Amino acid sequence: MAEEATNNDNSVQDQWGQICSQLKTEVGETAFDSWLKPLTLGSFSDGVMNICVPTRFMRSWVVTHYSDRIHKIWEKKNPAIKNVNFIVQSVQDGAHGLYSPTDRSLMKRVVSTPTPQRMYQSGINNLFANNNESAMNDSLSVPLNPQYTFDNFVVGKTNEFAYAAARKVAESRNISFNPLFLYSGVGLGKTHLMHAIAWHIKQQDPSRNIVYLSAEKFMYKFVRALRYKDTTAFKEQFRSVDVLMVDDVQFMGGKDTTQEEFFYTFNSLIEEGRQIIISADKSPADLEGIETRLKSRLGCGLVADIHPTDFDLRMGILNSKARQLGIELPERVAEFLAQKISSNIRELEGALRRVIAHSQLLSDKEITLDMTQDVLKDMLRSFDKRTTIDEIQKKVAEHFNISVKEMQSSRRARTVARPRQIAMYLAKQLTSRSLPEIGRKFDRDHTTVMHAVRKVEELILEDASLAENIDALRRTLEA
Ligand code: ADP
Ligand code: MG
């Protein structure tokens, strides 16, 4: 029986190919890319088909969620396959010894295109190592997160511009904007987009030397070079960089010597036509403690900001994450999470993870609204503690030079109505109060609050300066 399966190696590989495409339709592209694409075909003997999984974590996930299905489909296609076994074997090992010599003569190694997961496993540091200066460059770049890809990035109204800009930079051979400057509040996807650009470029052209690092790391490396009087070597490291990404440059604020060095590196790379991508928590002009000439240099390419999420995007992200994890997330639970946790995506993901962990590990019970509320009780309470509606009213009123009384009054003049709507919007975003609860604080009903939230969401998209004002308010309130 075993011979039947192995002698005709093409058929086993073909079958695996067919199984993969079937699974892709069944589980969706994102889940497929995360969990199933990294699998490679191993050896076959005694009716057992071995499938290689790069890590232990992935193995346990695949075994729990997909092994039965894979076994069933395969058994149907080829009765010689009695069982499917998953073994942990990293791609590094695999590149030389996926199959025993005998197997290898029977089956060609399944050749696959590089995916972030595969590249990750094949030693991310090597990916960025420059052959000449590998000792230095090895530690210059920080590993990329294999989950931070364009495929895993959910696009909505609030981030579509930044997404389009990132894609453009990743896809074009010629430099279109230099630098690309991405900015937003925390947890809204800047780092995700930068990694996605890096993965994309690497996939298109593995020879390009991409360096991704945080501004803090840049600073640390530079200060160390100063200490060891080795700044020439430090500079040298950047010479061969094709794409330089520096995350969170606001951390360079007030660090004058680092800025100067960065300015130098920046200019010489731009002059040589290398791509630079920068992120920060504010627009170039608003960065604090950054020299004027550097600010203007940072802003001279394309500046793209990511706005705070809206409800639709939060729903999209929750559903996409749930799909990726192969979880059934009831609509009501998703709505609850999307409504309550609006501050940033990292927290939204954290909440979802907590709910899933609770349902799977502790009790293996179904995810319900009650259970979600219960599991997140502390988290929601701490959100409430963070900001109160009173505080929001006070800060927003101050900002627009009106009194809190006016804000709560029935006056409809725009000078009062707009700040009121903004305060309602922020109350919805920053607290876990319900619409009626917020309404009561403004002496209005919940439909007015709902209308205000929608209105402000629209305004944010239309009016960049208002969006910045609101974002600044949010930051002060969250501080
Ligand atoms: P920032 O760098 O702006 O602080 P991150 O890029 O670290 O934010 O994003 C925080 C988390 O939210 C990450 O886990 C990221 O994958 C996720 N995330 C952000 N934006 C999106 C999006 N549009 N779709 C899916 N996940 C997202
Ligand atoms: Mg970040």
Side-chain angles (χ1 to χ4, degrees):
M1 284 306 251
E3 269 67 63
E4 212 180 294
T6 45
N7 268 345
N8 191 351
D9 64 318
N10 273 337
S11 82
V12 179
Q13 285 184 34
D14 286 352
Q15 284 161 16
W16 178 236
Q18 290 156 11
I19 291 170
C20 284
S21 18
Q22 185 172 340
L23 286 169
K24 193 169 181 169
T25 356
E26 283 179 18
V27 305
E29 196 149 345
T30 323
F32 179 83
D33 285 351
S34 305
W35 302 109
L36 300 168
K37 211 168 172 182
L39 306 182
T40 46
L41 220 48
S43 57
F44 175 83
S45 62
D46 295 335
V48 179
M49 186 74 228
N50 284 312
I51 296 181
C52 306
V53 193
T55 63
R56 273 173 53 190
F57 174 72
M58 272 181 116
R59 180 184 182 278
S60 85
W61 191 272
V62 169
V63 168
T64 329
H65 292 87
Y66 304 113
S67 71
D68 283 353
R69 186 70 196 129
I70 293 175
H71 181 205
K72 272 211 191 96
I73 309 178
W74 217 332
E75 211 179 15
K76 233 190 221 160
K77 283 195 187 299
N78 184 348
I81 295 191
K82 299 277 175 252
N83 214 342
V84 179
N85 187 29
F86 293 87
I87 49 175
V88 179
Q89 192 160 36
S90 71
V91 175
Q92 288 109 300
D93 311 338
H96 305 293
L98 251 189
Y99 309 111
S100 65
T102 44
D103 291 330
R104 209 181 294 178
S105 62
L106 293 170
M107 271 197 266
K108 276 171 254 126
R109 190 167 175 263
V110 182
V111 184
S112 46
T113 50
T115 64
Q117 280 81 4
R118 278 208 181 92
M119 292 201 248
Y120 185 69
Q121 266 98 35
S122 73
I124 194 72
N125 287 330
N126 296 337
L127 195 68
F128 295 104
N130 175 292
N131 292 337
N132 305 324
E133 298 137 3
S134 58
M136 290 302 274
N137 259 6
D138 249 356
S139 53
L140 186 60
S141 198
V142 178
L144 298 177
N145 186 327
Q147 298 299 330
Y148 290 1
T149 59
F150 283 128
D151 281 349
N152 287 349
F153 191 83
V154 181
V155 186
K157 274 193 215 147
T158 56
N159 61 16
E160 63 188 358
F161 183 63
Y163 171 80
R167 271 222 95 106
K168 176 90 187 155
V169 165
E171 280 161 7
S172 20
R173 290 252 138 214
N174 306 323
I175 287 183
S176 23
F177 331 106
N178 216 0
L180 169 63
F181 188 100
L182 297 169
Y183 77 95
S184 76
V186 299
L188 295 177
K190 299 180 295 291
T191 300
H192 188 137
L193 277 181
M194 290 175 106
H195 287 205
I197 297 173
W199 285 124
H200 191 93
I201 296 177
K202 268 292 162 191
Q203 258 170 318
Q204 300 299 306
D205 180 1
S207 71
R208 288 180 83 188
N209 185 11
I210 306 171
V211 166
Y212 164 88
L213 79 175
S214 65
E216 270 174 312
K217 174 109 187 203
F218 182 93
M219 228 146 58
Y220 166 79
K221 297 276 297 177
F222 176 60
V223 170
R224 212 175 56 166
L226 281 180
R227 189 174 308 143
Y228 293 106
K229 305 203 175 9
D230 201 10
T231 48
T232 326
F234 177 80
K235 288 189 174 80
E236 272 296 302
Q237 294 175 81
F238 290 94
R239 288 257 300 256
S240 58
V241 170
D242 295 309
V243 182
L244 174 66
M245 306 192 178
V246 183
D247 208 348
D248 290 319
V249 288
Q250 71 273 11
F251 288 120
M252 283 188 192
K255 312 282 191 320
D256 294 347
T257 19
T258 309
Q259 276 180 43
E260 193 151 317
E261 186 55 36
F262 179 62
F263 189 66
Y264 167 86
T265 308
F266 184 98
N267 282 337
S268 54
L269 287 174
I270 295 241
E271 267 159 32
E272 285 176 37
R274 317 294 171 84
Q275 178 74 54
I276 296 189
I277 301 156
I278 303 286
S279 89
D281 67 346
K282 294 195 187 68
S283 73
D286 290 337
L287 284 171
E288 282 154 28
I290 301 278
E291 270 186 74
T292 323
R293 58 177 190 154
L294 180 54
K295 279 193 202 176
S296 77
R297 226 32 187 118
L298 290 174
C300 70
L302 180 73
V303 177
D305 59 340
I306 306 177
H307 296 289
T309 58
D310 59 18
F311 180 77
D312 288 346
L313 181 65
R314 293 196 291 277
M315 285 296 280
I317 288 170
L318 285 168
N319 287 326
S320 144
K321 299 274 165 197
R323 224 178 304 122
Q324 255 177 64
L325 299 168
I327 297 290
E328 192 76 46
L329 187 67
E331 181 89 2
R332 287 182 61 197
V333 173
E335 278 171 9
F336 174 78
L337 292 172
Q339 240 156 38
K340 294 287 177 190
I341 302 164
S342 54
S343 42
N344 74 54
I345 300 168
R346 192 172 298 129
E347 282 178 332
L348 190 65
E349 280 181 354
L352 179 66
R353 261 198 302 275
R354 241 165 95 169
V355 173
I356 292 175
H358 190 86
S359 106
Q360 287 185 341
L361 304 175
L362 298 178
S363 44
D364 207 12
K365 49 179 187 196
E366 206 191 328
I367 298 177
T368 64
L369 188 56
D370 274 353
M371 182 265 248
T372 304
Q373 283 170 328
D374 195 45
V375 173
L376 299 180
K377 217 164 33 200
D378 300 343
M379 195 174 178
L380 295 173
R381 206 180 295 133
S382 83
F383 280 171
D384 281 347
K385 234 185 279 157
R386 257 187 240 167
T387 323
T388 63
I389 299 178
D390 291 341
E391 233 177 303
I392 293 171
Q393 290 183 331
K394 192 166 151 264
K395 278 270 157 28
V396 176
E398 258 169 33
H399 184 90
F400 289 99
N401 244 331
I402 60 169
S403 69
V404 174
K405 270 229 157 62
E406 278 177 299
M407 183 172 274
Q408 294 163 338
S409 74
S410 55
R411 276 192 63 201
R412 285 163 172 238
R414 182 182 277 194
T415 46
V416 179
R418 194 51 40 90
R420 183 185 297 130
Q421 288 176 323
I422 292 171
M424 288 177 176
Y425 165 84
L426 286 170
K428 188 80 205 89
Q429 291 255 315
L430 303 178
T431 73
S432 61
R433 299 275 158 233
S434 65
L435 294 175
E437 280 171 316
I438 296 172
R440 271 198 290 283
K441 286 278 189 183
F442 290 84
D443 215 7
R444 299 289 198 288
D445 68 8
H446 73 280
T447 52
T448 312
V449 183
M450 203 157 66
H451 172 76
V453 173
R454 284 219 196 99
K455 181 75 203 169
V456 175
E457 279 177 356
E458 270 170 41
L459 287 170
I460 285 176
L461 294 174
E462 287 159 9
D463 182 345
S465 88
L466 182 78
E468 271 177 36
N469 263 315
I470 295 178
D471 207 38
L473 272 167
R474 166 207 298 278
R475 272 198 295 268
T476 16
L477 285 161
E478 277 178 337

